[in-house]
Amino acid sequence: MSLKSLDPRINRMNLPDGELPPMEPKAAFDQFETFEVFARKRDKTPFTYAGPVHAPNADVAFLFAKEQYSRRSACSGLWVVLTRHIMVSPYANDDENIYDSFEVEIPEDTTWPLESYEVFHLKKRGKAHTHVGRIGATSYQEAYHKAKAAFAAEHPAVNMWVVKSKNVLQSAEEDRDMWLTLPEKKYREPAAYKVLDRIKKFKEEEEQKALTK
Amino acid sequence: MYGGGNTFEATKAEDLEQEDAVKLAEFEARIAQGEKIEPDDWMPRLYRMQLIRMIEQHAHSEIIGALPEGTWITRAPGFRRKLALMAKVQDEVGHAQLLYSAAETLGKSREEMLTDLINGKSKYSNVFNYPTYTWADSCIISWLIDAGAIVNQMANSKGSYGPYCRALERICAEEAFHLKYGHDSVVFMATGSPAQRQMVQEALNRWWSQIMTFFGPSDKLSVHTETLMRWKVKMASNDECRQQYLDMYVPKIREIGLTIPDPHLHKNEQTGQWEYTEPDWEEFRKVINGDGPCNAERLGVRRMAEERGAWVRLALKNPTAKYVRPLA
Ligand SMILES: [Fe+2]
Ligand SMILES: [Fe+2]
């Protein structure tokens, strides 16, 4: 016996009916590694944390990220980073600046040349990390110190993330037409539905009917 | 979503006295001040377990909820409705993605959550264990079940856990389209031909008791509930959500000439509370525990997708991967 459904397509699948033995637990990495995604609404606005995706590699992560985080709202650029490439500071209270209480030592054996790092700040718990700038450093620790000197006063933060620029997969300027798909899909906007007009017309007709009776 | 419909399977009450008193006091003070909790913060075990259970159930409800509606995409009347329903169903699957990640920040992997769903160990909203007989059923879900989900999600978006709030903010923005689309498709039928009116009325008759159970049975007032409310995990009681829902949607259902199939439904002017025929909680219990018209089909379809897609995931698997939970 196969499972009976109201949907003919499900009937055609011939799914087994009745109790099945439990499925073997899914293996580790069946759902792949985690990546973090940053999106920019418009050209001039900073990249802001959108959320995670799971993917087998950065290119696929980018595709998933585009679907997940730019499908429904304005977007003019995406950055994708493997989660384990991000260095994270502790979290401070909302009324504190993390740079005031957190110290790191710069390792002695750091070597030149400088590498470029991207710095993200969380202004308030529950909000999203925002890109505050780029700095050159020889280690994550040094990047933290330089970020503190460069951004702590102007952009107080409860938490900061730092990541090597080379580990950020960035959408390219020449591909920018990939962000132009939103306007064709007006049917996903609440404003596309003129339901109140229809209700009003219905009520008027009902009133008319009642009167002519 | 479709979260809500809190199930009977309660998290075992953890003994708060076993928690570090100083850390617990700091944690509670943070929440009392209106600050959000982030994944790296210390949190009581009860908080972590309860949130995992809630967010995971919410995620499962999104992907399972996509099935009874998705089944109507090919049969939706007209190209425009096909496009809109397809976009809505895609949103719901996206909501599941966001929510699984939020639950993962608390320490349960996606692999574990998906395994628990398929093996019936974790639940999803009970309303999806019922079939969609006609196109009108899918319209009723899009409008009135999504409306219930929105009541829930709006409340939860003011909760204390940062990653859940971030996910819900995105989800609520997308739900505005679902509600409008659903309302529009129901109104279209209710104001259409006599056959269309009859079809949508019959769908409402079938779904009303599911709608009434959507928020779950009245909460038993326990110390446990009080703690979860203080910690801003549970933001409103099931009855409060139901009352708010009835306030918002009973007039909207009636104004288009539909009849709600409960002769006892009325607002008590003295108490300001809606009174109604108590839904059949025995049936609710039975169905949520596996014995409903569509339980086997929903899990069967999900399991088939898992199993038939396994080779793709295996082929793409990266042997050098290292697991790190999402950051936020
Ligand atoms: Fe949803
Ligand atoms: Fe929805």
Side-chain angles (χ1 to χ4, degrees), chain B residues 1-2 62 69 88 91-92 95 142 146 149-150 153 174-175 178-179:
Chain B
M1 126 144 188
Y2 309 119
E62 301 280 358
E69 283 190 289
K88 176 186 188 292
D91 282 357
E92 306 298 10
H95 297 170
S142 296
D146 275 59
I150 292 168
Q153 291 170 154
E174 297 183 1
E175 290 291 348
H178 303 180
L179 189 65

Side-chain angles (χ1 to χ4, degrees), chain A residues 7 26 34 71-72 125, chain B residues 41 71 91 166 306 324:
Chain A
D7 186 341
K26 286 163 86 69
T34 55
R71 185 180 85 254
R72 289 293 308 277
R125 289 161 165 271
Chain B
D41 292 332
T71 192
D91 282 357
R166 277 186 287 270
E306 281 299 324
V324 190

Side-chain angles (χ1 to χ4, degrees), chain B residues 133-252:
Chain B
Y133 287 99
T134 68
W135 164 248
D137 292 69
S138 104
C139 300
I140 292 285
I141 293 185
S142 296
W143 183 31
L144 293 174
I145 298 294
D146 275 59
I150 292 168
V151 167
N152 243 314
Q153 291 170 154
M154 293 296 272
N156 286 344
S157 72
K158 296 176 189 75
S160 62
Y161 189 54
Y164 193 30
C165 296
R166 277 186 287 270
L168 284 173
E169 200 178 309
R170 212 168 266 278
I171 289 171
C172 287
E174 297 183 1
E175 290 291 348
F177 145 56
H178 303 180
L179 189 65
K180 245 345 198 349
Y181 156 81
H183 193 194
D184 185 77
S185 16
V186 170
V187 169
F188 188 89
M189 294 190 85
T191 62
S193 70
Q196 286 173 314
R197 291 182 68 101
Q198 192 191 342
M199 199 173 169
V200 72
Q201 178 65 57
E202 285 172 1
L204 178 65
N205 296 349
R206 278 192 289 275
W207 281 86
W208 185 251
S209 48
Q210 272 67 268
I211 290 167
M212 289 304 285
T213 59
F214 182 82
F215 299 100
S218 303
D219 304 275
K220 289 187 231 96
L221 277 184
S222 65
V223 184
H224 194 67
T225 316
E226 209 187 295
T227 308
L228 293 172
M229 285 202 164
R230 186 170 71 245
W231 290 349
K232 296 187 187 164
V233 171
K234 191 161 178 57
M235 298 303 288
S237 76
N238 295 354
D239 282 328
E240 279 165 357
C241 288
R242 192 162 21 241
Q243 290 289 332
Q244 190 192 336
Y245 180 90
L246 292 171
D247 264 335
M248 289 167 80
Y249 292 97
V250 171
K252 286 191 166 48

Side-chain angles (χ1 to χ4, degrees), chain B residues 80-132:
Chain B
R80 210 180 145 76
R81 288 203 196 283
K82 282 188 175 66
L83 283 175
L85 182 55
M86 202 158 25
K88 176 186 188 292
V89 170
Q90 186 181 16
D91 282 357
E92 306 298 10
V93 177
H95 297 170
Q97 302 281 3
L98 294 169
L99 292 162
Y100 282 130
S101 291
E104 243 182 297
T105 63
L106 291 157
K108 185 165 182 180
S109 74
R110 257 163 61 130
E111 287 85 357
E112 282 177 276
M113 290 188 268
L114 292 171
T115 304
D116 285 352
L117 168 65
I118 288 170
N119 288 338
K121 215 177 136 199
S122 14
K123 305 291 185 215
Y124 52 87
S125 186
N126 200 37
V127 298
F128 301 122
N129 288 320
Y130 289 84
T132 42

Side-chain angles (χ1 to χ4, degrees), chain A:
Chain A
M1 269 291 278
S2 59
L3 195 137
K4 285 275 162 294
S5 168
L6 290 171
D7 186 341
R9 295 170 311 162
I10 292 178
N11 288 328
R12 286 198 292 273
M13 284 173 191
N14 282 320
L15 299 178
D17 199 11
E19 280 279 305
L20 293 179
M23 187 182 80
E24 281 294 303
K26 286 163 86 69
F29 292 109
D30 175 271
Q31 297 291 303
F32 313 118
E33 279 182 285
T34 55
F35 290 79
E36 307 296 341
V37 180
F38 302 85
R40 178 175 71 177
K41 276 209 155 32
R42 276 169 291 280
D43 285 356
K44 291 285 182 296
T45 54
F47 278 85
T48 299
Y49 181 57
V53 289
H54 285 246
N57 59 52
D59 291 332
V60 178
F62 188 88
L63 288 175
F64 287 170
K66 179 173 180 288
E67 229 16 65
Q68 181 77 342
Y69 297 112
S70 83
R71 185 180 85 254
R72 289 293 308 277
S73 50
C75 182
S76 87
L78 275 185
W79 288 357
V80 171
V81 190
L82 194 58
T83 304
R84 60 183 157 94
H85 283 153
I86 301 178
M87 201 64 99
V88 183
S89 82
Y91 280 78
N93 298 329
D94 270 349
D95 55 1
E96 292 168 351
N97 192 342
I98 188 60
Y99 290 106
D100 293 340
S101 57
F102 180 56
E103 289 300 333
V104 288
E105 269 177 43
I106 301 181
E108 276 163 22
D109 56 347
T110 48
T111 47
W112 292 83
L114 289 177
E115 272 189 288
S116 164
Y117 289 77
E118 308 293 341
V119 180
F120 300 89
H121 277 186
L122 181 65
K123 231 195 223 164
K124 191 168 182 254
R125 289 161 165 271
K127 302 290 175 208
H129 287 73
T130 302
H131 185 238
V132 288
R134 176 175 300 164
I135 38 169
T138 59
S139 66
Y140 285 101
Q141 291 84 348
E142 195 194 1
Y144 175 82
H145 280 268
K146 289 198 169 169
K148 180 175 179 172
F151 311 121
E154 206 188 328
H155 304 283
V158 296
N159 180 254
M160 70 90 77
W161 293 350
V162 59
V163 56
K164 286 184 181 174
S165 310
K166 70 169 187 201
N167 288 333
V168 182
L169 178 65
Q170 306 188 359
S171 53
E173 268 311 297
E174 59 265 32
D175 293 334
R176 48 180 309 119
D177 53 349
M178 80 164 100
W179 310 117
L180 300 177
T181 54
L182 282 173
E184 318 156 359
K185 298 183 178 167
K186 283 278 185 288
Y187 56 84
R188 298 183 305 187
E189 304 302 323
Y193 297 90
K194 304 278 176 259
V195 56
L196 292 181
D197 297 350
R198 198 182 291 277
I199 295 173
K200 202 169 147 235
K201 191 165 151 261
F202 172 74
K203 283 181 173 169
E204 282 165 7
E205 284 168 6
E206 291 294 293
E207 267 171 40
Q208 275 303 321
K209 268 190 231 160
L211 284 177
T212 52
K213 254 184 202 154

